[in-house]
Protein backbone atom coordinates (compact mmCIF):
# COMPACT_ATOMS: atom_id res chain seq x y z
CA UNK A 1 0.00 0.00 0.00
CA UNK A 2 2.81 2.38 0.87
CA UNK A 3 5.17 1.71 -2.03
CA UNK A 4 7.26 4.79 -1.43
CA UNK A 5 7.98 6.23 1.99
CA UNK A 6 9.45 9.72 2.28
CA UNK A 7 11.41 10.67 5.40
CA UNK A 8 12.50 14.31 5.64
CA UNK A 9 15.57 14.67 7.87
CA UNK A 10 17.08 17.82 9.34
CA UNK A 11 19.86 16.37 11.49
CA UNK A 12 17.76 16.29 14.68
CA UNK A 13 17.25 13.33 17.02
CA UNK A 14 13.51 13.37 16.31
CA UNK A 15 14.09 13.07 12.56
CA UNK A 16 16.49 10.20 13.17
CA UNK A 17 13.83 8.48 15.26
CA UNK A 18 11.34 9.10 12.45
CA UNK A 19 13.78 7.48 10.02
CA UNK A 20 13.81 4.33 12.17
CA UNK A 21 10.01 4.21 12.11
CA UNK A 22 10.04 4.79 8.36
CA UNK A 23 12.61 2.02 7.84
CA UNK A 24 10.68 -0.40 10.02
CA UNK A 25 7.50 0.20 8.04
CA UNK A 26 9.27 0.16 4.68
CA UNK A 27 10.90 -3.19 5.44
CA UNK A 28 7.57 -4.70 6.50
CA UNK A 29 5.84 -3.43 3.37
CA UNK A 30 8.68 -3.92 0.89
CA UNK A 31 8.66 -0.22 0.13
CA UNK A 32 11.26 2.10 -1.24
CA UNK A 33 12.61 4.60 1.30
CA UNK A 34 13.51 8.15 0.31
CA UNK A 35 15.55 10.28 2.70
CA UNK A 36 15.26 13.97 1.92
CA UNK A 37 17.00 17.03 3.26
CA UNK A 38 16.30 20.70 2.58
CA UNK A 39 19.13 23.20 2.90
CA UNK A 40 17.23 26.24 4.20
CA UNK A 41 17.71 29.21 1.90
CA UNK A 42 19.19 32.29 3.55
CA UNK A 43 16.83 34.99 4.80
CA UNK A 44 16.24 37.85 2.32
CA UNK A 45 18.31 40.38 4.30
CA UNK A 46 21.34 38.22 3.62
CA UNK A 47 20.24 37.26 0.11
CA UNK A 48 19.71 40.84 -1.00
CA UNK A 49 23.00 42.12 0.33
CA UNK A 50 25.53 43.79 -1.92
CA UNK A 51 27.83 41.70 -4.08
CA UNK A 52 30.71 41.82 -1.66
CA UNK A 53 28.67 39.53 0.60
CA UNK A 54 28.01 36.93 -2.05
CA UNK A 55 31.21 35.04 -1.29
CA UNK A 56 30.24 34.75 2.36
CA UNK A 57 26.72 33.79 1.30
CA UNK A 58 28.12 31.08 -0.93
CA UNK A 59 30.40 29.83 1.84
CA UNK A 60 27.43 29.56 4.23
CA UNK A 61 25.33 27.69 1.67
CA UNK A 62 28.25 25.36 0.87
CA UNK A 63 28.67 24.60 4.55
CA UNK A 64 24.93 23.95 4.98
CA UNK A 65 24.92 21.68 1.93
CA UNK A 66 27.90 19.75 3.25
CA UNK A 67 26.19 19.30 6.60
CA UNK A 68 22.99 18.23 4.86
CA UNK A 69 24.75 15.61 2.79
CA UNK A 70 26.56 14.35 5.90
CA UNK A 71 23.19 14.06 7.66
CA UNK A 72 21.74 12.03 4.78
CA UNK A 73 24.76 9.70 4.71
CA UNK A 74 24.68 9.26 8.46
CA UNK A 75 20.95 8.45 8.58
CA UNK A 76 21.30 6.09 5.60
CA UNK A 77 24.25 4.27 7.18
CA UNK A 78 22.28 4.00 10.39
CA UNK A 79 19.60 2.04 8.51
CA UNK A 80 22.00 -0.37 6.80
CA UNK A 81 20.72 -3.33 8.84
CA UNK A 82 17.30 -3.05 7.19
CA UNK A 83 18.70 -3.92 3.73
CA UNK A 84 16.26 -1.50 2.13
CA UNK A 85 16.23 0.23 -1.20
CA UNK A 86 17.16 3.71 0.03
CA UNK A 87 17.55 6.78 -2.14
CA UNK A 88 18.55 10.22 -0.91
CA UNK A 89 17.67 13.68 -2.14
CA UNK A 90 18.64 17.23 -1.28
CA UNK A 91 17.12 20.60 -2.23
CA UNK A 92 17.59 24.25 -1.35
CA UNK A 93 14.64 26.41 -0.28
CA UNK A 94 11.96 26.69 2.40
CA UNK A 95 11.89 23.24 4.07
CA UNK A 96 8.09 22.78 4.17
CA UNK A 97 7.63 23.97 0.56
CA UNK A 98 10.40 21.75 -0.72
CA UNK A 99 9.07 18.72 1.19
CA UNK A 100 5.57 19.32 -0.25
CA UNK A 101 7.09 19.57 -3.74
CA UNK A 102 9.03 16.36 -3.18
CA UNK A 103 5.87 14.54 -2.09
CA UNK A 104 4.25 15.44 -5.41
CA UNK A 105 7.33 14.78 -7.50
CA UNK A 106 8.05 11.32 -6.05
CA UNK A 107 4.35 10.42 -5.73
CA UNK A 108 5.21 8.93 -2.34
CA UNK A 109 2.41 7.23 -0.43
CA UNK A 110 3.51 7.99 3.11
CA UNK A 111 5.58 10.63 4.87
CA UNK A 112 7.25 9.81 8.18
CA UNK A 113 8.69 12.82 9.97
CA UNK A 114 9.57 14.14 13.41
CA UNK A 115 7.13 16.27 15.41
CA UNK A 116 10.00 18.64 16.16
CA UNK A 117 13.40 19.28 14.68
CA UNK A 118 16.37 21.46 15.37
CA UNK A 119 14.28 24.50 16.34
CA UNK A 120 15.08 26.17 19.63
CA UNK A 121 11.58 27.22 20.66
CA UNK A 122 10.28 24.64 23.12
CA UNK A 123 6.69 24.35 24.23
CA UNK A 124 5.05 23.78 20.87
CA UNK A 125 3.98 20.23 20.19
CA UNK A 126 4.85 20.53 16.52
CA UNK A 127 7.38 22.59 14.65
CA UNK A 128 6.43 24.79 11.72
CA UNK A 129 7.68 22.30 9.13
CA UNK A 130 5.76 19.30 10.53
CA UNK A 131 2.75 21.57 11.01
CA UNK A 132 2.71 22.73 7.39
CA UNK A 133 3.46 19.31 5.91
CA UNK A 134 0.69 17.57 7.89
CA UNK A 135 -1.75 20.26 6.78
CA UNK A 136 -0.97 20.36 3.10
CA UNK A 137 0.42 16.94 2.15
CA UNK A 138 -1.79 14.99 -0.24
CA UNK A 139 -0.79 11.68 1.37
CA UNK A 140 -0.86 10.27 4.92
CA UNK A 141 1.74 11.69 7.29
CA UNK A 142 3.05 9.84 10.32
CA UNK A 143 4.38 12.31 12.90
CA UNK A 144 6.85 10.68 15.29
CA UNK A 145 7.19 12.11 18.81
N1 LIG B 1 15.42 21.34 6.56
C1 LIG B 1 14.72 20.21 6.66
N2 LIG B 1 14.91 19.22 5.76
C2 LIG B 1 14.21 18.07 5.87
N3 LIG B 1 13.33 17.81 6.84
C3 LIG B 1 13.10 18.75 7.77
C4 LIG B 1 13.77 20.01 7.73
N4 LIG B 1 13.34 20.75 8.78
C5 LIG B 1 12.44 20.00 9.43
N5 LIG B 1 12.29 18.79 8.84
C6 LIG B 1 11.40 17.69 9.26
O1 LIG B 1 10.36 18.24 10.04
C7 LIG B 1 10.38 17.69 11.37
C8 LIG B 1 9.92 18.78 12.33
O2 LIG B 1 10.82 19.86 12.29
P1 LIG B 1 10.35 21.36 12.52
O3 LIG B 1 8.92 21.49 12.15
O4 LIG B 1 11.34 22.23 11.81
O5 LIG B 1 10.46 21.55 14.10
P2 LIG B 1 11.37 22.58 14.95
O6 LIG B 1 10.62 23.86 14.97
O7 LIG B 1 11.49 21.93 16.29
O8 LIG B 1 12.69 22.68 14.21
C9 LIG B 1 11.81 17.18 11.54
O9 LIG B 1 11.90 16.14 12.53
C10 LIG B 1 12.11 16.65 10.14
O10 LIG B 1 11.48 15.40 9.94
MG1 LIG C 1 13.11 23.24 12.23
Amino acid sequence: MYRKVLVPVDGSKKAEKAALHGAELASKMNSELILFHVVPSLPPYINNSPDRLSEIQQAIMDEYSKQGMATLTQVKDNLAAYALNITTGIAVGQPADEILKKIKETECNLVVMGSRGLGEIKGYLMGSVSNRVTRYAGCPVLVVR
Side-chain angles (χ1 to χ4, degrees), residues 10 116-119 127-129:
D10 61 352
R116 296 295 313 262
L118 289 173
S128 63
V129 177

Side-chain angles (χ1 to χ4, degrees), residues 8-10 12 15 36-38 95 99 113-114 116-119 127-130:
V9 291
D10 61 352
S12 67
F36 184 57
H37 178 73
V38 183
I99 292 166
M113 69 193 303
R116 296 295 313 262
L118 289 173
S128 63
V129 177
S130 42

Side-chain angles (χ1 to χ4, degrees), residues 48-140:
N48 296 338
S49 298
D51 281 351
R52 64 191 177 79
L53 272 186
S54 64
E55 246 176 66
I56 301 170
Q57 228 175 286
Q58 197 50 53
I60 296 171
M61 290 311 286
D62 287 353
E63 183 54 35
Y64 280 175
S65 304
K66 238 201 280 172
Q67 277 178 24
M69 285 189 278
T71 294
L72 287 169
T73 307
Q74 191 231 315
V75 175
K76 187 177 174 179
D77 289 351
N78 208 21
L79 303 176
Y82 286 96
L84 288 164
N85 174 8
I86 303 179
T87 54
T88 58
I90 193 161
V92 179
Q94 302 296 322
D97 290 346
E98 293 302 319
I99 292 166
L100 290 166
K101 259 195 244 168
K102 189 76 177 173
I103 292 169
K104 288 212 181 102
E105 178 198 309
T106 58
E107 298 182 324
C108 67
N109 320 99
L110 177 69
V111 176
V112 183
M113 69 193 303
S115 57
R116 296 295 313 262
L118 289 173
E120 292 296 319
I121 309 161
K122 306 289 171 216
Y124 293 112
L125 292 175
M126 295 236 279
S128 63
V129 177
S130 42
N131 195 19
R132 269 181 62 88
V133 172
T134 48
R135 270 183 205 208
Y136 297 112
C139 69

Side-chain angles (χ1 to χ4, degrees), residues 18-39:
L20 286 174
H21 283 251
E24 193 70 43
L25 287 171
S27 69
K28 295 249 156 55
M29 302 179 302
N30 268 322
S31 328
E32 179 186 335
L33 189 71
I34 305 162
L35 300 174
F36 184 57
H37 178 73
V38 183
V39 180

